[in-house]
Amino acid sequence: MADEVKLYAAAPSPYVFRAKLALSIKGVKFEYINEDLGNKSAELLKYNPVHKKVPVLVHNGNAISESLVIVEYIDEVWKGVPILPQDPYEKAIARFWAKFIDDKCIPTAFKAFGSNGDEQVVTEAREQLQILENELKVKGTKFFGGDNINLVDIAGSVIAYWVGIFQDATGLELITKEKFPKITVWAEDFVNLEVVNQALPPREDLVAFFKKMFGKA
Amino acid sequence: MSEMGEIKLLGAAASPFVNRVQFVLNLKSIKYEFMEEDFDNKSELLLTSNPVFKRVPVLIHSNKPPVCESLIIIDYLEETHPDVHKLLPSDPADRAVIRFWAYYIDNEFFPLYGRLRKTPDKEGKEALKKQIIERSQVLEKTFVKFSNGKPYFGGDDVGYLDVVLGCFLGWTKFVGNYNNFKILDEVRQWRNLKLF
């Protein structure tokens, strides 16, 4: 009984990357369908009629949307390398930090990069990142998942890779080694993991894309 | 339940996010102590147990650090008390779809109420009202699909989405009356008063 797994995607999206990475971690064979976001396919609109966005995972005809919902689904369906902790309490904590990244870190960072260096906006973004920095310090482990990556690291891939690209694209140095030593090291370790490295989209393509998006091209 | 020890819920009776956790605790017959927070004067306990968001609800249990954020708390209760009043189905695909709608309710629907309140001008308000109606219609369609003719999203009995959306029914009525428009029609039929 062959599984049919399709991922509706777009290379620049860090949310798509979460799903792609989760599938790669589990060694799942899938069809990567590259969407032109300016001209969305009929299938994408059918599978995600509510938001019409990527990523969408279609598994044997079942369509799943929302990147973190997709990652949890992948973890539940395909055994092997675990993405979420087994223990309910540890799971709750992992979900909490993933939510923090989505609710606080990403929106404030995005606003900062789009702000043309507005000090207040940049400070707010750094304050949220500082909370993440402190968490790494307190944990004292290589990754949020310990020796191996987990849901939080996957959710944080936008910080580990995309923030650097946004920095190149806009000239704003949001995360510096001096201000965020733990995050800097974690980001390097994360990006250098083989399973991550192989799945990441090429840097130059992304810098070009985001330069345009932030209006700096 | 003995592994969790004594349970305290830090909350505010007026908060729908706190209410949802209370629904679940009640549905699962979990005893807990409710500690009311004063928003103008947040307690030391709240600030130390949820330093990141500094908000309720917070679940405190005697032998572990606190759990924060209403949906995360509900998932945690569901996983630690699976035998009493199960809220989620066992199929991963069904669960994923339910979680998608929980996201929608929390991120795309409910925040509109706050934005409506904060928008001063008439055009802005009318545009938001339109959006609220559109999205409530999406939810009504979803309800029809999930309930399949039965009274709840969960079918014969209260399920995850009933709890996630149900906590907003009071607000929905208030926002509707205050702003002079009807938000949820068909969905309101299933208002589960026994939870209150």
Side-chain angles (χ1 to χ4, degrees):
Chain A
M1 186 190 77
D3 256 344
E4 193 196 53
V5 185
K6 297 197 240 201
L7 181 67
Y8 287 83
S13 163
Y15 300 103
V16 165
F17 180 71
R18 292 170 173 180
K20 191 180 173 199
L21 180 59
L23 287 166
S24 306
I25 288 171
K26 298 283 186 180
V28 176
K29 278 194 170 50
F30 65 99
E31 189 189 341
Y32 182 94
I33 297 167
N34 201 31
E35 283 285 328
D36 172 2
L37 297 180
N39 187 16
K40 294 173 181 176
S41 73
E43 285 86 38
L44 175 63
L45 299 178
K46 175 176 89 172
Y47 288 126
N48 189 357
V50 176
H51 295 307
K52 307 177 176 54
K53 292 202 283 213
V54 289
V56 180
L57 181 76
V58 181
H59 179 209
N60 294 333
N62 286 321
I64 320 265
S65 310
E66 283 305 327
S67 63
L68 294 182
V69 175
I70 294 173
V71 173
E72 287 214 21
Y73 175 79
I74 291 169
D75 196 43
E76 282 178 37
V77 171
W78 287 283
K79 300 302 166 193
V81 179
I83 290 175
L84 270 101
Q86 284 278 56
D87 173 67
Y89 176 74
E90 297 300 326
K91 211 188 269 195
I93 297 306
R95 284 176 174 148
F96 174 85
W97 286 107
K99 185 174 205 279
F100 174 73
I101 287 169
D102 267 3
D103 284 2
K104 294 285 181 188
C105 296
I106 297 180
T108 53
F110 231 74
K111 212 170 156 202
F113 286 115
S115 78
N116 251 322
D118 181 324
E119 220 184 293
Q120 203 187 349
V121 174
V122 173
T123 302
E124 223 213 303
R126 288 203 176 119
E127 277 169 9
Q128 304 308 319
L129 290 166
Q130 189 59 48
I131 295 175
L132 219 56
E133 172 81 11
N134 293 343
E135 178 62 13
L136 272 172
K137 207 184 294 180
V138 161
K139 277 187 92 77
T141 53
K142 195 173 184 194
F143 298 112
F144 288 98
D147 290 326
N148 298 307
I149 59 174
N150 76 354
L151 178 75
V152 185
D153 301 280
I154 295 175
S157 52
V158 61
I159 296 172
Y161 191 67
W162 269 262
V163 162
I165 289 169
F166 297 160
Q167 293 185 169
D168 279 359
T170 62
L172 169 68
E173 276 230 82
L174 186 65
I175 296 181
T176 61
K177 195 168 184 149
E178 295 72 40
K179 289 194 163 75
F180 299 98
K182 294 281 172 198
I183 290 182
T184 304
V185 171
W186 162 78
E188 275 167 23
D189 285 339
F190 180 77
V191 168
N192 287 329
L193 275 178
E194 198 184 331
V195 69
V196 174
N197 200 270
Q198 288 188 351
L200 282 171
R203 216 164 191 277
E204 319 80 57
D205 297 350
L206 259 52
V207 174
F209 178 88
F210 285 108
K211 254 195 178 131
K212 240 207 248 159
M213 203 189 87
F214 283 111
K216 305 274 181 178
Chain B
M1 191 157 92
S2 53
E3 317 117 49
M4 281 177 76
E6 227 177 61
I7 298 179
K8 293 188 168 77
L9 180 68
L10 234 58
S15 160
F17 299 100
V18 171
N19 290 160
R20 346 166 130 147
V21 176
Q22 287 177 293
F23 291 169
V24 175
L25 288 163
N26 291 340
L27 285 168
K28 291 190 177 280
S29 304
I30 300 171
K31 283 196 172 49
Y32 66 100
E33 185 191 336
F34 185 75
M35 298 175 69
E36 177 93 23
E37 274 292 323
D38 174 4
F39 286 145
D40 296 321
N41 189 16
K42 291 181 179 174
S43 73
E44 193 58 42
L45 182 60
L46 175 61
L47 298 175
T48 51
S49 53
N50 190 358
V52 174
F53 287 105
K54 301 183 178 59
R55 63 189 183 197
V56 291
V58 179
L59 187 81
I60 297 179
H61 38 347
S62 54
N63 41 12
K64 278 203 167 51
V67 180
C68 309
E69 294 306 294
S70 64
L71 290 185
I72 294 177
I73 295 173
I74 291 172
D75 283 342
Y76 178 61
L77 292 172
E78 175 74 353
E79 282 160 28
T80 49
H81 297 76
D83 301 324
V84 184
H85 204 121
K86 216 161 174 317
L87 291 167
L88 284 166
S90 357
D91 181 74
D94 293 338
R95 282 141 74 115
V97 174
I98 286 174
R99 290 206 162 103
F100 169 85
W101 286 109
Y103 253 86
Y104 184 84
I105 290 165
D106 273 7
N107 295 325
E108 307 287 337
F109 184 67
F110 182 66
L112 294 178
Y113 290 179
R115 279 166 57 190
L116 179 62
R117 183 172 46 90
K118 291 184 189 143
T119 303
D121 62 299
K122 191 155 189 272
E123 275 129 44
K125 273 197 185 321
E126 286 307 312
L128 277 167
K129 277 158 90 167
K130 192 159 169 262
Q131 242 192 337
I132 291 176
I133 298 281
E134 278 167 8
R135 291 185 187 179
S136 73
Q137 284 170 339
V138 171
L139 287 174
E140 286 191 28
K141 262 208 226 138
T142 306
F143 173 71
V144 170
K145 197 165 143 214
F146 272 84
S147 61
N148 221 353
K150 299 195 175 152
Y152 301 112
F153 279 97
D156 285 315
D157 222 337
V158 169
Y160 196 85
L161 288 177
D162 298 283
V163 167
V164 171
L165 185 59
C167 63
F168 295 124
L169 288 179
W171 277 75
T172 300
K173 201 169 181 196
F174 173 75
V175 170
N177 287 342
Y178 190 78
N179 289 284
N180 235 332
F181 70 127
K182 244 183 169 169
I183 301 179
L184 296 172
D185 257 321
E186 196 170 316
V187 185
R188 256 201 272 169
Q189 284 173 29
W190 56 272
R191 186 191 208 145
N192 30 37
L193 297 162
K194 70 174 174 181
L195 292 176
F196 286 80

